[in-house]
Amino acid sequence: MSATNGHDAVQIPVIDISNSNEQIGHELLDAVVQYGFVFIKSSGLGLDAQTVNEMFDISREFFQSPREEKQKYRMQKNNRGWTAMHEEVLDPETDDRGDPKEGFNFGDFAHDKAQQPLPPTLQVHEAQLSRFSELCRELAMKLLEFFAIGLKIDPAEGGAKWFASRHEKSKGPSGTILRILYYPLSSSPSRTPPTSSPPILAGAHSDYGSLTLLFRLPSQPGLEILSPSQTWLPVPVHPPGTEHDASPPILVNVGDLLSYWTNGLLKSTVHRVVGSPSKHAEETGAAGGEGLAGGAGDTVREGAGGDEESKTQARYSIAYFFHPCRDTALVSVPSERVRQRAEGQAGGRVVTAIEHLNGRLAATYGWGTAEVAAGS
């Protein structure tokens, strides 16, 4: 894989889905066929600047709490709970140390209640977390319908509801996760790259589910996607034309399962998170590479002007990983475009959504697949 391609950000389309029509379905499909990613304008979705910023405030409050408190809620085999620094290994083929970040995973909520133990700093915001999760779910379901429209799935075989129907809560539990993430200001990279390369904060990976919604703060870029030419391209927080929006657009990317369903037509693009090489050199030189537990710099929110990386802030992000019901079979979508793509491809055993998820989690956390299945 080649190094980051200078400052040339990838030109991912920005689409407004507030007014539903068939054309939007085709535009969304074209974007994810080409890039695997698409920006969605956040206006009119309930996910306004205030709602998103309040979630980041909740995240900061939790991650600045004592380690001893977070330790009580360590990640379980059901993929819920707190992950410590270097515990997650997103790129196990090249990384033997783990990603320098913390996270907390929430499973589904029921009647505004989490279906897992929560630490006090999150418990007081339980209803707010539940509402945010539900807003994400509503957007994800809407996007799945648009993708089905773009694929022109026959109404007799499910039509616009083909994907969405496999994600309905009423049909059983899923692997869906709302995740808050924290990259301490002076965290050591997962591995030491060449001097000219940026430090790796989250290793190269594709996402495990159907699709992901990503929320980022202004002045906190760092996400890169791997191009077909094997070059890393930066993804801006504020793409052109959105610099003056109240909040950055929501970044959506296709996960492994949508790629499975469409025989690779929709791309589950490999991506990673990097820091600034100069910033890393300054911090590790001053602090010996030790991660900080949080500090005054964590509580300052940058303005929305541009994507110049802040060197005085820890990095935070929020991701919503949307999964279908666990027993969903990953069969080909009944779409002529997908059928044409599948011609000449050898068939194989059809796996279920939970089988795929368990395999990916086992690789990420070093668990045995039997252990993961037992905890799911």
Side-chain angles (χ1 to χ4, degrees):
M1 298 178 189
S2 301
T4 302
N5 183 18
H7 299 288
D8 297 331
V10 63
Q11 301 299 308
I12 296 172
V14 182
I15 299 178
D16 184 349
I17 66 169
S18 57
N19 296 313
S20 299
N21 58 62
E22 186 173 330
Q23 181 59 31
I24 291 176
H26 296 301
E27 291 176 6
L28 285 169
L29 190 72
D30 289 344
V32 296
V33 165
Q34 183 171 0
Y35 302 102
F37 282 75
V38 64
F39 283 108
I40 303 297
K41 277 190 166 288
S42 57
S43 58
L45 302 175
L47 294 162
D48 54 65
Q50 179 178 344
T51 298
V52 175
N53 285 338
E54 286 174 355
M55 281 294 298
F56 277 111
D57 289 338
I58 293 170
S59 176
R60 287 188 187 90
E61 182 183 359
F62 167 70
F63 287 119
Q64 290 176 24
S65 63
R67 179 184 175 88
E68 294 74 17
E69 185 64 33
K70 293 181 284 190
Q71 186 79 23
K72 300 174 185 176
Y73 302 88
R74 291 295 291 264
M75 170 83 76
Q76 302 299 307
K77 296 298 191 298
N78 62 5
N79 197 30
R80 300 176 184 181
W82 177 66
T83 53
M85 290 280 289
H86 302 291
E87 185 172 345
E88 184 176 66
V89 185
L90 286 176
D91 187 6
E93 291 186 5
T94 63
D95 177 17
D96 59 2
R97 186 177 179 190
D99 296 340
K101 67 178 187 291
E102 295 180 33
F104 193 94
N105 288 7
F106 304 89
D108 281 331
F109 291 78
H111 308 292
D112 285 343
K113 296 294 183 183
Q115 305 303 291
Q116 67 192 83
L118 293 181
T121 50
L122 296 175
Q123 183 79 49
V124 296
H125 302 292
E126 190 171 28
Q128 194 172 352
L129 290 162
S130 174
R131 177 56 180 157
F132 186 82
S133 179
E134 187 58 32
L135 288 169
C136 289
R137 167 178 280 275
E138 290 171 3
L139 172 57
M141 290 287 270
K142 189 172 185 177
L143 290 170
L144 289 177
E145 291 187 17
F146 277 128
F147 290 149
I149 291 170
L151 287 168
K152 299 181 180 179
I153 298 175
D154 188 334
E157 298 189 76
K161 299 291 185 181
W162 197 93
F163 292 121
S165 65
R166 288 157 170 78
H167 293 73
E168 293 174 359
K169 282 186 177 181
S170 61
K171 294 185 177 179
S174 75
T176 296
I177 291 291
L178 171 65
R179 188 174 209 200
I180 53 177
L181 288 156
Y182 168 54
Y183 303 80
L185 185 61
S186 296
S187 55
S188 300
S190 57
R191 55 192 175 280
T192 304
T195 304
S196 61
S197 300
I200 308 299
L201 303 182
H205 66 285
S206 61
D207 287 350
Y208 313 161
S210 298
L211 55 80
T212 302
L213 313 181
L214 180 65
F215 302 84
R216 296 182 288 168
L217 287 168
S219 301
Q220 293 196 349
L223 179 68
E224 295 183 336
I225 68 173
L226 188 63
S227 73
S229 63
Q230 301 298 291
T231 299
W232 289 108
L233 301 175
V235 180
V237 179
H238 274 289
T242 70
E243 296 88 345
H244 302 294
D245 289 1
S247 62
I250 301 163
L251 185 60
V252 177
N253 67 280
V254 167
D256 295 344
L257 303 191
L258 276 180
S259 185
Y260 269 114
W261 272 319
T262 61
N263 293 311
L265 177 65
L266 276 62
K267 299 185 186 305
S268 183
T269 302
V270 173
H271 51 284
R272 68 181 186 180
V273 177
V274 300
S276 163
S278 60
K279 173 183 171 186
H280 173 65
E282 292 168 7
E283 292 168 352
T284 54
E290 293 298 323
L292 300 180
D298 292 341
T299 62
V300 180
R301 181 179 295 119
E302 288 282 330
D307 275 355
E308 184 65 28
E309 183 173 7
S310 169
K311 295 185 179 181
T312 61
Q313 283 190 301
R315 176 189 172 88
Y316 293 86
S317 63
I318 300 169
Y320 182 77
F321 301 103
F322 197 39
H323 289 247
C325 301
R326 293 179 179 181
D327 295 331
T328 301
L330 304 181
V331 296
S332 294
V333 176
S335 157
E336 184 58 31
R337 190 170 176 182
V338 173
R339 289 191 189 100
Q340 291 175 358
R341 185 178 179 85
E343 288 181 1
Q345 294 183 12
R349 186 180 76 85
V350 175
V351 301
T352 63
I354 192 61
E355 286 176 321
H356 174 74
L357 177 60
N358 284 346
R360 293 297 304 270
L361 289 176
T364 298
Y365 295 106
W367 300 334
T369 52
E371 290 181 275
V372 180
S376 63

